[in-house]
Amino acid sequence: MAEPEFTATGVRIGKRLRSLTRAGQVRISGGRLELLTSYGSEIDSAPVQAVRASKPWFANNDRALADVNGTRYQLTLGEHDPAPGEPGPPAARRFIEAVRKAAGRGH
């Protein structure tokens, strides 16, 4: 099996106001994006060309949106909450860049 292009663990995955998992996994591998529960069960997956990843303008650096198969998921990718006034890890930006790169859309 090929090495995944992007993997994030401990991801909070939500749909609308409902949390689907608090410790899920996001993986981009073999041209597909997979959203997984903490137990490894698939929540949703799609070819990266069909996924739209973005950053909400009102959110912290650890939050991203992913439109997968017509469903919008909110992803919280940071490992921990940053200290007050400090920027969080750039996990959301890395995720968005990984989706664009895997889909061949560049930056």
PDB file of all heavy atoms in Angstrom, residues 1-7 27-34 45-49 98-99 101-103:
ATOM      1  N   MET A   1       0.848  -1.184   0.000  1.00  0.00           N
ATOM      2  CA  MET A   1       0.000   0.000   0.000  1.00  0.00           C
ATOM      3  C   MET A   1       0.891   1.244   0.000  1.00  0.00           C
ATOM      4  O   MET A   1       1.883   1.320   0.700  1.00  0.00           O
ATOM      5  CB  MET A   1      -0.902  -0.026   1.237  1.00  0.00           C
ATOM      6  CG  MET A   1      -1.807   1.187   1.343  1.00  0.00           C
ATOM      7  SD  MET A   1      -2.844   1.085   2.820  1.00  0.00           S
ATOM      8  CE  MET A   1      -4.404   0.858   2.017  1.00  0.00           C
ATOM      9  N   ALA A   2       0.514   2.222  -0.794  1.00  0.00           N
ATOM     10  CA  ALA A   2       1.290   3.456  -0.896  1.00  0.00           C
ATOM     11  C   ALA A   2       1.158   4.282   0.379  1.00  0.00           C
ATOM     12  O   ALA A   2       0.160   4.210   1.086  1.00  0.00           O
ATOM     13  CB  ALA A   2       0.811   4.276  -2.090  1.00  0.00           C
ATOM     14  N   GLU A   3       2.203   5.053   0.644  1.00  0.00           N
ATOM     15  CA  GLU A   3       2.190   5.950   1.804  1.00  0.00           C
ATOM     16  C   GLU A   3       1.153   7.049   1.570  1.00  0.00           C
ATOM     17  O   GLU A   3       1.084   7.622   0.496  1.00  0.00           O
ATOM     18  CB  GLU A   3       3.581   6.561   1.951  1.00  0.00           C
ATOM     19  CG  GLU A   3       3.807   7.289   3.248  1.00  0.00           C
ATOM     20  CD  GLU A   3       3.859   6.377   4.451  1.00  0.00           C
ATOM     21  OE1 GLU A   3       4.160   5.185   4.301  1.00  0.00           O
ATOM     22  OE2 GLU A   3       3.577   6.874   5.548  1.00  0.00           O
ATOM     23  N   PRO A   4       0.309   7.356   2.567  1.00  0.00           N
ATOM     24  CA  PRO A   4      -0.686   8.416   2.380  1.00  0.00           C
ATOM     25  C   PRO A   4      -0.024   9.774   2.170  1.00  0.00           C
ATOM     26  O   PRO A   4       1.025  10.057   2.739  1.00  0.00           O
ATOM     27  CB  PRO A   4      -1.495   8.414   3.679  1.00  0.00           C
ATOM     28  CG  PRO A   4      -0.980   7.312   4.510  1.00  0.00           C
ATOM     29  CD  PRO A   4       0.216   6.718   3.857  1.00  0.00           C
ATOM     30  N   GLU A   5      -0.648  10.598   1.318  1.00  0.00           N
ATOM     31  CA  GLU A   5      -0.126  11.942   1.070  1.00  0.00           C
ATOM     32  C   GLU A   5      -0.403  12.868   2.248  1.00  0.00           C
ATOM     33  O   GLU A   5       0.306  13.829   2.471  1.00  0.00           O
ATOM     34  CB  GLU A   5      -0.750  12.531  -0.198  1.00  0.00           C
ATOM     35  CG  GLU A   5      -0.317  11.853  -1.485  1.00  0.00           C
ATOM     36  CD  GLU A   5      -1.418  11.017  -2.108  1.00  0.00           C
ATOM     37  OE1 GLU A   5      -2.538  11.519  -2.290  1.00  0.00           O
ATOM     38  OE2 GLU A   5      -1.146   9.857  -2.415  1.00  0.00           O
ATOM     39  N   PHE A   6      -1.476  12.593   2.988  1.00  0.00           N
ATOM     40  CA  PHE A   6      -1.833  13.411   4.148  1.00  0.00           C
ATOM     41  C   PHE A   6      -2.573  12.535   5.139  1.00  0.00           C
ATOM     42  O   PHE A   6      -3.434  11.756   4.761  1.00  0.00           O
ATOM     43  CB  PHE A   6      -2.746  14.572   3.721  1.00  0.00           C
ATOM     44  CG  PHE A   6      -3.181  15.443   4.873  1.00  0.00           C
ATOM     45  CD1 PHE A   6      -2.409  16.507   5.296  1.00  0.00           C
ATOM     46  CD2 PHE A   6      -4.371  15.186   5.549  1.00  0.00           C
ATOM     47  CE1 PHE A   6      -2.809  17.308   6.359  1.00  0.00           C
ATOM     48  CE2 PHE A   6      -4.778  15.980   6.612  1.00  0.00           C
ATOM     49  CZ  PHE A   6      -3.992  17.041   7.017  1.00  0.00           C
ATOM     50  N   THR A   7      -2.212  12.651   6.405  1.00  0.00           N
ATOM     51  CA  THR A   7      -2.909  11.941   7.470  1.00  0.00           C
ATOM     52  C   THR A   7      -2.986  12.861   8.681  1.00  0.00           C
ATOM     53  O   THR A   7      -1.997  13.481   9.047  1.00  0.00           O
ATOM     54  CB  THR A   7      -2.171  10.651   7.885  1.00  0.00           C
ATOM     55  OG1 THR A   7      -2.045   9.804   6.738  1.00  0.00           O
ATOM     56  CG2 THR A   7      -2.931   9.900   8.956  1.00  0.00           C
ATOM     57  N   ARG A  27      -7.589  11.132   5.910  1.00  0.00           N
ATOM     58  CA  ARG A  27      -6.477  10.554   5.162  1.00  0.00           C
ATOM     59  C   ARG A  27      -6.675  10.805   3.674  1.00  0.00           C
ATOM     60  O   ARG A  27      -7.786  10.647   3.158  1.00  0.00           O
ATOM     61  CB  ARG A  27      -6.399   9.053   5.438  1.00  0.00           C
ATOM     62  CG  ARG A  27      -5.238   8.382   4.784  1.00  0.00           C
ATOM     63  CD  ARG A  27      -5.026   6.978   5.262  1.00  0.00           C
ATOM     64  NE  ARG A  27      -6.270   6.208   5.232  1.00  0.00           N
ATOM     65  CZ  ARG A  27      -6.488   5.143   5.975  1.00  0.00           C
ATOM     66  NH1 ARG A  27      -5.592   4.731   6.824  1.00  0.00           N
ATOM     67  NH2 ARG A  27      -7.619   4.487   5.883  1.00  0.00           N
ATOM     68  N   ILE A  28      -5.616  11.201   2.997  1.00  0.00           N
ATOM     69  CA  ILE A  28      -5.601  11.307   1.543  1.00  0.00           C
ATOM     70  C   ILE A  28      -4.586  10.302   1.057  1.00  0.00           C
ATOM     71  O   ILE A  28      -3.399  10.385   1.394  1.00  0.00           O
ATOM     72  CB  ILE A  28      -5.227  12.721   1.060  1.00  0.00           C
ATOM     73  CG1 ILE A  28      -6.240  13.745   1.564  1.00  0.00           C
ATOM     74  CG2 ILE A  28      -5.135  12.747  -0.462  1.00  0.00           C
ATOM     75  CD1 ILE A  28      -5.862  15.182   1.287  1.00  0.00           C
ATOM     76  N   SER A  29      -5.051   9.329   0.297  1.00  0.00           N
ATOM     77  CA  SER A  29      -4.174   8.278  -0.183  1.00  0.00           C
ATOM     78  C   SER A  29      -4.740   7.715  -1.480  1.00  0.00           C
ATOM     79  O   SER A  29      -5.948   7.493  -1.586  1.00  0.00           O
ATOM     80  CB  SER A  29      -4.068   7.159   0.866  1.00  0.00           C
ATOM     81  OG  SER A  29      -3.209   6.138   0.420  1.00  0.00           O
ATOM     82  N   GLY A  30      -3.868   7.489  -2.446  1.00  0.00           N
ATOM     83  CA  GLY A  30      -4.301   6.885  -3.699  1.00  0.00           C
ATOM     84  C   GLY A  30      -5.353   7.694  -4.432  1.00  0.00           C
ATOM     85  O   GLY A  30      -6.215   7.129  -5.097  1.00  0.00           O
ATOM     86  N   GLY A  31      -5.317   9.025  -4.286  1.00  0.00           N
ATOM     87  CA  GLY A  31      -6.273   9.865  -4.984  1.00  0.00           C
ATOM     88  C   GLY A  31      -7.636   9.949  -4.338  1.00  0.00           C
ATOM     89  O   GLY A  31      -8.585  10.449  -4.935  1.00  0.00           O
ATOM     90  N   ARG A  32      -7.776   9.451  -3.102  1.00  0.00           N
ATOM     91  CA  ARG A  32      -9.053   9.496  -2.395  1.00  0.00           C
ATOM     92  C   ARG A  32      -8.895  10.173  -1.044  1.00  0.00           C
ATOM     93  O   ARG A  32      -7.876  10.025  -0.380  1.00  0.00           O
ATOM     94  CB  ARG A  32      -9.599   8.085  -2.145  1.00  0.00           C
ATOM     95  CG  ARG A  32     -10.102   7.416  -3.394  1.00  0.00           C
ATOM     96  CD  ARG A  32     -10.838   6.127  -3.100  1.00  0.00           C
ATOM     97  NE  ARG A  32     -12.115   6.322  -2.442  1.00  0.00           N
ATOM     98  CZ  ARG A  32     -13.249   6.661  -3.050  1.00  0.00           C
ATOM     99  NH1 ARG A  32     -13.248   6.885  -4.343  1.00  0.00           N
ATOM    100  NH2 ARG A  32     -14.369   6.779  -2.379  1.00  0.00           N
ATOM    101  N   LEU A  33      -9.924  10.886  -0.651  1.00  0.00           N
ATOM    102  CA  LEU A  33     -10.010  11.460   0.690  1.00  0.00           C
ATOM    103  C   LEU A  33     -10.925  10.550   1.496  1.00  0.00           C
ATOM    104  O   LEU A  33     -12.003  10.181   1.034  1.00  0.00           O
ATOM    105  CB  LEU A  33     -10.611  12.864   0.644  1.00  0.00           C
ATOM    106  CG  LEU A  33     -10.975  13.433   2.021  1.00  0.00           C
ATOM    107  CD1 LEU A  33      -9.738  13.990   2.704  1.00  0.00           C
ATOM    108  CD2 LEU A  33     -12.028  14.498   1.909  1.00  0.00           C
ATOM    109  N   GLU A  34     -10.476  10.183   2.688  1.00  0.00           N
ATOM    110  CA  GLU A  34     -11.283   9.348   3.575  1.00  0.00           C
ATOM    111  C   GLU A  34     -11.448  10.040   4.917  1.00  0.00           C
ATOM    112  O   GLU A  34     -10.474  10.553   5.475  1.00  0.00           O
ATOM    113  CB  GLU A  34     -10.598   7.993   3.812  1.00  0.00           C
ATOM    114  CG  GLU A  34     -10.427   7.166   2.572  1.00  0.00           C
ATOM    115  CD  GLU A  34      -9.645   5.902   2.858  1.00  0.00           C
ATOM    116  OE1 GLU A  34      -8.539   6.002   3.451  1.00  0.00           O
ATOM    117  OE2 GLU A  34     -10.131   4.829   2.508  1.00  0.00           O
ATOM    118  N   SER A  45     -16.080   8.996   1.950  1.00  0.00           N
ATOM    119  CA  SER A  45     -14.870   9.072   1.137  1.00  0.00           C
ATOM    120  C   SER A  45     -15.267   9.442  -0.283  1.00  0.00           C
ATOM    121  O   SER A  45     -16.409   9.238  -0.686  1.00  0.00           O
ATOM    122  CB  SER A  45     -14.094   7.746   1.149  1.00  0.00           C
ATOM    123  OG  SER A  45     -14.793   6.758   0.432  1.00  0.00           O
ATOM    124  N   ALA A  46     -14.309   9.992  -0.998  1.00  0.00           N
ATOM    125  CA  ALA A  46     -14.545  10.392  -2.385  1.00  0.00           C
ATOM    126  C   ALA A  46     -13.204  10.632  -3.059  1.00  0.00           C
ATOM    127  O   ALA A  46     -12.198  10.873  -2.386  1.00  0.00           O
ATOM    128  CB  ALA A  46     -15.380  11.678  -2.430  1.00  0.00           C
ATOM    129  N   PRO A  47     -13.179  10.586  -4.400  1.00  0.00           N
ATOM    130  CA  PRO A  47     -11.954  10.977  -5.107  1.00  0.00           C
ATOM    131  C   PRO A  47     -11.637  12.443  -4.792  1.00  0.00           C
ATOM    132  O   PRO A  47     -12.559  13.263  -4.689  1.00  0.00           O
ATOM    133  CB  PRO A  47     -12.315  10.810  -6.583  1.00  0.00           C
ATOM    134  CG  PRO A  47     -13.526   9.940  -6.606  1.00  0.00           C
ATOM    135  CD  PRO A  47     -14.229  10.151  -5.316  1.00  0.00           C
ATOM    136  N   VAL A  48     -10.358  12.760  -4.624  1.00  0.00           N
ATOM    137  CA  VAL A  48     -10.007  14.130  -4.237  1.00  0.00           C
ATOM    138  C   VAL A  48     -10.454  15.154  -5.271  1.00  0.00           C
ATOM    139  O   VAL A  48     -10.721  16.302  -4.917  1.00  0.00           O
ATOM    140  CB  VAL A  48      -8.498  14.302  -3.936  1.00  0.00           C
ATOM    141  CG1 VAL A  48      -8.122  13.630  -2.647  1.00  0.00           C
ATOM    142  CG2 VAL A  48      -7.655  13.836  -5.086  1.00  0.00           C
ATOM    143  N   GLN A  49     -10.580  14.760  -6.544  1.00  0.00           N
ATOM    144  CA  GLN A  49     -11.039  15.703  -7.561  1.00  0.00           C
ATOM    145  C   GLN A  49     -12.468  16.163  -7.281  1.00  0.00           C
ATOM    146  O   GLN A  49     -12.870  17.240  -7.705  1.00  0.00           O
ATOM    147  CB  GLN A  49     -10.993  15.082  -8.969  1.00  0.00           C
ATOM    148  CG  GLN A  49      -9.600  14.871  -9.498  1.00  0.00           C
ATOM    149  CD  GLN A  49      -8.999  13.549  -9.049  1.00  0.00           C
ATOM    150  OE1 GLN A  49      -9.593  12.793  -8.294  1.00  0.00           O
ATOM    151  NE2 GLN A  49      -7.796  13.276  -9.509  1.00  0.00           N
ATOM    152  N   ALA A  98      -3.023  19.880   0.730  1.00  0.00           N
ATOM    153  CA  ALA A  98      -2.896  18.469   0.362  1.00  0.00           C
ATOM    154  C   ALA A  98      -4.030  18.032  -0.572  1.00  0.00           C
ATOM    155  O   ALA A  98      -3.796  17.291  -1.526  1.00  0.00           O
ATOM    156  CB  ALA A  98      -2.874  17.594   1.615  1.00  0.00           C
ATOM    157  N   VAL A  99      -5.251  18.513  -0.321  1.00  0.00           N
ATOM    158  CA  VAL A  99      -6.376  18.180  -1.201  1.00  0.00           C
ATOM    159  C   VAL A  99      -6.134  18.771  -2.583  1.00  0.00           C
ATOM    160  O   VAL A  99      -6.288  18.077  -3.596  1.00  0.00           O
ATOM    161  CB  VAL A  99      -7.715  18.714  -0.617  1.00  0.00           C
ATOM    162  CG1 VAL A  99      -8.840  18.609  -1.642  1.00  0.00           C
ATOM    163  CG2 VAL A  99      -8.092  17.945   0.638  1.00  0.00           C
ATOM    164  N   LYS A 101      -3.264  19.638  -3.989  1.00  0.00           N
ATOM    165  CA  LYS A 101      -2.124  18.988  -4.637  1.00  0.00           C
ATOM    166  C   LYS A 101      -2.517  17.598  -5.158  1.00  0.00           C
ATOM    167  O   LYS A 101      -2.189  17.243  -6.289  1.00  0.00           O
ATOM    168  CB  LYS A 101      -0.977  18.881  -3.639  1.00  0.00           C
ATOM    169  CG  LYS A 101       0.271  18.240  -4.211  1.00  0.00           C
ATOM    170  CD  LYS A 101       1.371  18.197  -3.161  1.00  0.00           C
ATOM    171  CE  LYS A 101       2.569  17.452  -3.710  1.00  0.00           C
ATOM    172  NZ  LYS A 101       3.588  17.265  -2.679  1.00  0.00           N
ATOM    173  N   ALA A 102      -3.230  16.822  -4.337  1.00  0.00           N
ATOM    174  CA  ALA A 102      -3.634  15.476  -4.742  1.00  0.00           C
ATOM    175  C   ALA A 102      -4.601  15.516  -5.918  1.00  0.00           C
ATOM    176  O   ALA A 102      -4.628  14.613  -6.747  1.00  0.00           O
ATOM    177  CB  ALA A 102      -4.257  14.739  -3.564  1.00  0.00           C
ATOM    178  N   ALA A 103      -5.405  16.582  -6.007  1.00  0.00           N
ATOM    179  CA  ALA A 103      -6.371  16.723  -7.096  1.00  0.00           C
ATOM    180  C   ALA A 103      -5.733  17.332  -8.342  1.00  0.00           C
ATOM    181  O   ALA A 103      -6.390  17.466  -9.365  1.00  0.00           O
ATOM    182  CB  ALA A 103      -7.554  17.568  -6.644  1.00  0.00           C
TER     183      ALA A 103
END
